């Protein structure tokens, strides 16, 4: 595979759709990502501040619904797989490179701040929305869930609505 | 019949499956170019609609696949995870995510993919996401009201809008193909040439029309359950449907014979039959007949199934559904449980002269009246083993 030559997006989408279908057929649930972040946070907080998690409503509610180690969850294993799969793919296509990517119009510092703030907003939003682009929007669309499709519309609608205000982060014009 | 978890694939093996699916997921995301934030946000500024193309092609492919799997009984749609609908948190969460997307340049899945290929900004995005989840967790008392407000249950989008599943699938496909065409036009204006210009345009026209044609086949694949249930409510169809039926005397005889291959499907509610359930009987609902558990139950070799309810008309509906689902050796109890209770369980020997045949029958019924209640009593005394029932998969984030 040539460097920087990406797969045709429709073909990639078709493969992703088949993968999602197979996932639903095998496991009865779709793909996801933010759930693994949640498991990570809960695991970290409960091992560092066990007293705190033992008396805080949110963590108690979580442990009531999820027995056992939060890291021994389906999404955590799936996300570990994503890391391996993406690494292998980038290795094969010669795209592995440690770099901070940003638009030429902004500095590295700005990009770091934006990535941190954007991540925090996405992390917060994914908890409110009960899933992110994968778990709620994409998987929700596949099973025709009203909630999933509304979240999807809100994500893309919101992004378009806010895009104008943050254009300087991405385009120089 | 799917899903394969937890019956065929155990919960431990499922984690291995998760790892393998994740590898494929990561590989596809990276090959599609999702490891660079500048490509990802391109759709919001008109210079690269790769995300739109990948996302909607995947969504439509999976959606049509799920519809087909459901129709052909390959997948039990009652067992798959349907994201719940909490209208306000879905909207608010989506808006937060949308804003996070244009500021941070990633979503959680793509940030993991990009971080794995060495993008430092993606690693920072992940750190930010952890922070965001932590803010939610610690501020939960504050978010909880919004988080739990406006719960609509687990509706399908086509039910919410009030159209058929197939109409929705077609509308969605046409919208996606239209969006793809618009994306190419916008890219042409913004950067001079569409991102997908590697192949001639007529191939894309063909693929777009092909996708819409395929989506039209969903009209031939109505959601199996609601389609059959609807027909079972149609008096005309049911009156012309003649199921095999078993007389109450034969039924009583086979119960007294304690025939192990005779399975009784009791449509009455478990509360109703509590303490007086017939030997070797299970409670089942009409909707329950479409499930994975029912498919397994009705597939036993050399078994005879008798559907019982208060009266014949309800039994006939169930027999019709069983027939549509291809279940064999299914009988209805003629005269229903009302008749069975009246003529067997509460049997009174008629007075006067009787023909020979009648008196044989009555003598049998008299015996049955004494024996069957004993069997029923013993049956309910048996500590029924913990009923194993397939549950809907848990998913989401």
């Amino acid at each position: 595979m040539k460097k920087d030559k990406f797969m045709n997006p429709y073909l990639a989408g078709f493969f992703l759709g088949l993968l999602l279908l197979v996932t639903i057929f095998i496991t009865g649930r779709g793909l996801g990502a933010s759930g693994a972040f949640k498991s990570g946070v809960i695991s970290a907080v409960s091992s560092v501040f066990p007293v705190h998690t033992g008396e805080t409503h949110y963590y108690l509610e979580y442990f009531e619904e999820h027995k056992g180690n939060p890291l021994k969850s389906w999404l955590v294993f799936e996300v570990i797989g994503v890391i391996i799969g993406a690494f292998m793919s980038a290795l094969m296509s010669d795209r592995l490179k440690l770099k901070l990517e940003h638009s030429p119009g902004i500095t590295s510092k700005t990009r770091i701040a934006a990535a941190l703030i954007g991540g925090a907003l996405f992390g917060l939003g994914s908890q409110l929305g009960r899933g992110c682009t994968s778990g709620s929007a994409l998987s929700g669309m596949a099973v025709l869930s009203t909630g999933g499709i509304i979240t999807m519309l809100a994500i893309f609608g919101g992004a378009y609505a806010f895009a104008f205000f943050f254009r300087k982060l991405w385009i120089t014009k | 019949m799917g899903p394969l978890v937890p019956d065929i694939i155990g919960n431990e093996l499922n984690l291995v499956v998760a790892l393998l699916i994740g590898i494929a997921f990561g590989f596809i995301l990276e090959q599609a170019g999702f490891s660079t934030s500048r490509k990802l946000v391109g759709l919001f500024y008109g210079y690269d609609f790769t995300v739109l193309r990948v996302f909607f092609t995947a969504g439509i492919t999976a959606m049509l696949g799920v519809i087909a799997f459901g129709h052909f009984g390959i997948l039990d749609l009652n067992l798959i995870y349907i994201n719940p609908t909490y209208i306000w948190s879905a909207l608010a969460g989506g808006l937060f995510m949308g804003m996070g997307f244009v500021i941070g340049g990633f979503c959680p899945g793509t940030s993991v993919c990009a971080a794995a290929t060495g993008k430092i900004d993606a690693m920072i995005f992940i750190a930010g996401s952890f922070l965001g989840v932590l803010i939610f967790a610690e501020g939960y008392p504050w978010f909880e009201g919004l988080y739990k407000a406006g719960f609509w249950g687990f509706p399908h989008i086509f039910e919410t809008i009030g159209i058929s599943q197939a109409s929705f699938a077609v509308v969605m496909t046409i919208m996606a193909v239209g969006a793809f065409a618009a994306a190419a036009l916008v890219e042409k204006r913004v950067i001079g040439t569409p991102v997908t210009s590697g192949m001639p345009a007529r191939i894309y026209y063909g693929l777009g029309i092909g996708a819409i044609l395929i989506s039209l086949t969903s009209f031939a694949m109505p959601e199996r359950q609601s389609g059959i249930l609807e027909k079972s409510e149609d008096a005309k169809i049911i009156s012309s449907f003649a199921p095999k039926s078993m007389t109450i005397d034969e039924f009583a005889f086979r119960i007294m014979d304690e025939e192990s291959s005779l399975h009784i499907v009791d449509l009455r509610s478990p509360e109703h039959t509590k303490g007086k359930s017939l030997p070797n009987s299970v409670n089942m609902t009409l909707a329950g007949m479409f499930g994975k558990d029912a498919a397994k139950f009705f597939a036993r070799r050399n078994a005879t199934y008798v559907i019982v309810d208060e009266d014949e008309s309800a039994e006939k509906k169930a027999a019709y559904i069983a027939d549509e689902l291809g279940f064999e050796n299914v009988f209805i109890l003629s005269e229903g449980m009302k008749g069975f209770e009246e003529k067997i369980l509460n049997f009174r020997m008629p007075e006067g002269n009787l023909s020979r045949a009648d008196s044989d029958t009555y003598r049998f019924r008299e015996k049955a009246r004494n024996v069957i209640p004993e069997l029923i009593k013993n049956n309910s005394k048996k500590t029924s083993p913990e009923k194993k029932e397939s549950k809907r998969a848990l998913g989401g984030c």
Side-chain angles (χ1 to χ4, degrees):
Chain A
M1 279 174 250
K2 267 189 288 172
K3 190 175 181 178
D4 272 341
K5 183 89 177 91
F6 296 118
M7 191 188 280
N8 180 294
Y10 298 114
L11 187 62
F14 180 66
F15 284 146
L16 184 56
L18 288 185
L19 177 69
L20 179 54
L21 181 61
V22 167
T23 306
I24 294 171
F25 174 70
I26 297 178
T27 68
R29 48 159 307 146
L31 299 165
S34 58
F37 290 8
K38 175 174 160 184
S39 299
V41 168
I42 287 174
S43 172
V45 176
S46 64
S47 60
V48 181
F49 306 106
V51 179
H52 173 66
T53 49
E55 58 192 19
T56 309
H57 183 39
Y58 180 76
Y59 301 98
L60 291 174
E61 210 172 91
Y62 178 87
F63 283 112
E64 207 169 273
E65 282 168 32
H66 304 75
K67 299 273 173 286
N69 185 345
L71 290 183
K72 204 184 155 193
S73 81
W74 198 90
L75 283 172
V76 171
F77 279 74
E78 185 229 51
V79 165
I80 293 170
V82 171
I83 296 171
I84 300 169
F87 181 83
M88 288 192 329
S89 165
L91 187 69
M92 283 167 64
S93 302
D94 198 16
R95 282 194 285 259
L96 273 183
K97 197 179 168 201
L98 199 64
K99 70 168 173 188
L100 182 81
E101 206 181 34
H102 61 84
S103 155
I106 58 169
T107 62
S108 295
K109 267 187 197 154
T110 313
R111 176 70 186 118
I112 289 173
L116 195 68
I117 295 168
L121 285 168
F122 219 120
L124 177 63
S126 69
Q127 296 313 302
L128 265 180
R130 295 177 169 76
C132 56
T133 341
S134 330
S136 194
L138 183 60
S139 304
M141 180 176 165
V143 299
L144 297 169
S145 146
T146 301
I149 289 171
I150 288 172
T151 307
M152 172 186 88
L153 293 174
I155 294 175
F156 287 106
Y160 272 106
F162 298 122
F164 175 79
F165 305 102
F166 300 104
R167 64 190 185 283
K168 297 236 166 74
L169 292 175
W170 304 105
I171 51 179
T172 43
K173 264 177 276 178
Chain B
M1 200 176 200
L4 305 183
V5 174
D7 294 346
I8 297 170
I9 293 176
N11 286 323
E12 298 289 320
L13 184 58
N14 194 11
L15 295 178
V16 180
V17 170
L19 189 73
L20 296 175
I21 286 172
I23 291 174
F25 188 23
F27 195 92
I28 295 169
L29 289 179
E30 207 286 331
Q31 283 299 317
F34 281 13
S35 56
T36 149
S37 55
R38 298 185 65 196
K39 200 171 174 63
L40 287 167
V41 294
L43 84 153
F44 304 118
Y45 299 100
Y47 61 82
D48 189 332
F49 284 90
T50 300
V51 169
L52 179 97
R53 294 184 173 101
V54 175
F55 186 91
F56 281 103
T57 309
I60 287 194
T61 305
M63 172 185 78
L64 294 175
V66 169
I67 290 174
F69 276 22
H71 174 76
F72 292 113
I74 299 170
L75 182 63
D76 184 350
L77 298 187
N78 291 316
L79 295 182
I80 64 172
Y81 174 74
I82 305 286
N83 312 55
T85 303
Y86 289 85
I87 181 71
W88 299 116
S89 66
L91 282 170
L95 291 177
F96 270 110
M97 288 189 264
M99 195 194 264
F101 208 157
V102 283
I103 297 176
F106 291 107
C107 60
T110 51
S111 69
V112 172
C113 167
T117 69
K119 299 292 187 319
I120 297 164
D121 47 332
M123 298 171 197
I124 295 164
F125 182 92
I126 295 175
S129 305
F130 272 74
L131 203 63
V133 176
L134 188 65
I135 293 170
F136 182 79
E138 296 300 325
Y140 188 57
W142 195 78
F143 293 113
E144 197 179 3
L146 176 62
Y147 185 64
K148 290 181 176 164
F151 181 50
W152 289 1
F154 300 82
H156 288 109
I157 183 76
F158 54 91
E159 294 160 348
T160 306
I161 306 176
I163 57 175
S164 74
Q165 177 178 269
S167 314
F168 183 82
V170 173
V171 168
M172 197 74 208
T173 310
I174 291 173
M175 272 167 53
V177 172
F180 298 156
L185 286 178
V186 174
E187 281 170 352
K188 214 169 171 180
R189 276 190 53 187
V190 176
I191 55 167
T193 168
V195 173
T196 49
S197 57
M199 286 199 300
R202 61 174 197 282
I203 292 185
Y204 291 119
Y205 295 144
L207 285 172
I209 292 167
I212 292 171
L213 289 179
I214 290 171
S215 75
L216 285 171
T217 62
S218 53
F219 278 106
M221 300 187 290
E223 201 207 341
R224 198 165 69 137
Q225 185 168 335
S226 59
I228 297 175
L229 278 175
E230 217 166 89
K231 278 197 221 157
S232 77
E233 293 295 329
D234 188 329
K236 228 193 269 165
I237 294 179
I238 294 304
S239 68
S240 64
F241 173 70
K244 287 188 276 192
S245 88
M246 190 179 279
T247 63
I248 47 176
D249 291 315
E250 182 184 348
F251 185 62
F253 180 81
R254 291 174 81 162
I255 290 177
M256 286 158 71
D257 210 24
E258 299 186 50
E259 194 183 312
S260 62
S261 62
L262 181 81
H263 296 283
I264 300 169
V265 179
D266 202 327
L267 298 175
R268 297 170 301 172
S269 69
E271 293 79 47
H272 187 92
T273 58
K274 198 168 183 241
K276 50 178 182 165
S277 60
L278 295 163
N280 217 9
S281 71
V282 291
N283 294 98
M284 204 179 279
T285 58
L286 293 186
M289 295 180 70
F290 293 88
K292 196 162 106 170
D293 295 332
K296 227 186 290 168
F297 172 76
F298 278 103
R300 285 173 213 208
R301 262 166 212 267
N302 304 322
T304 304
Y305 303 93
V306 186
I307 295 171
V308 303
D309 200 340
E310 287 302 323
D311 53 52
E312 261 185 55
S313 67
E315 294 172 355
K316 253 179 119 175
K317 276 185 208 168
Y320 174 78
I321 293 168
D323 188 58
E324 285 285 307
L325 293 174
F327 300 153
E328 283 168 5
N329 282 329
V330 177
F331 291 79
I332 64 168
L333 178 63
S334 72
E335 302 176 64
M337 281 308 284
K338 254 189 219 148
F340 184 74
E341 271 165 20
E342 183 191 318
K343 293 187 181 158
I344 305 279
L345 298 181
N346 301 316
F347 176 68
R348 293 269 168 277
M349 186 65 92
E351 310 273 322
N353 284 334
L354 298 166
S355 72
R356 177 70 190 264
D358 279 349
S359 75
D360 279 351
T361 304
Y362 292 145
R363 259 188 296 135
F364 166 74
R365 288 185 182 173
E366 176 135 45
K367 188 176 162 205
R369 182 190 66 189
N370 296 324
V371 175
I372 292 177
E374 278 304 305
L375 293 173
I376 291 176
K377 217 161 96 192
N378 291 338
N379 182 53
S380 33
K381 250 192 262 161
K382 256 189 288 176
T383 41
S384 55
E386 194 65 28
K387 245 222 216 139
K388 196 180 134 289
E389 207 177 317
S390 294
K391 287 211 184 79
R392 208 178 255 285
L394 282 174
C397 290

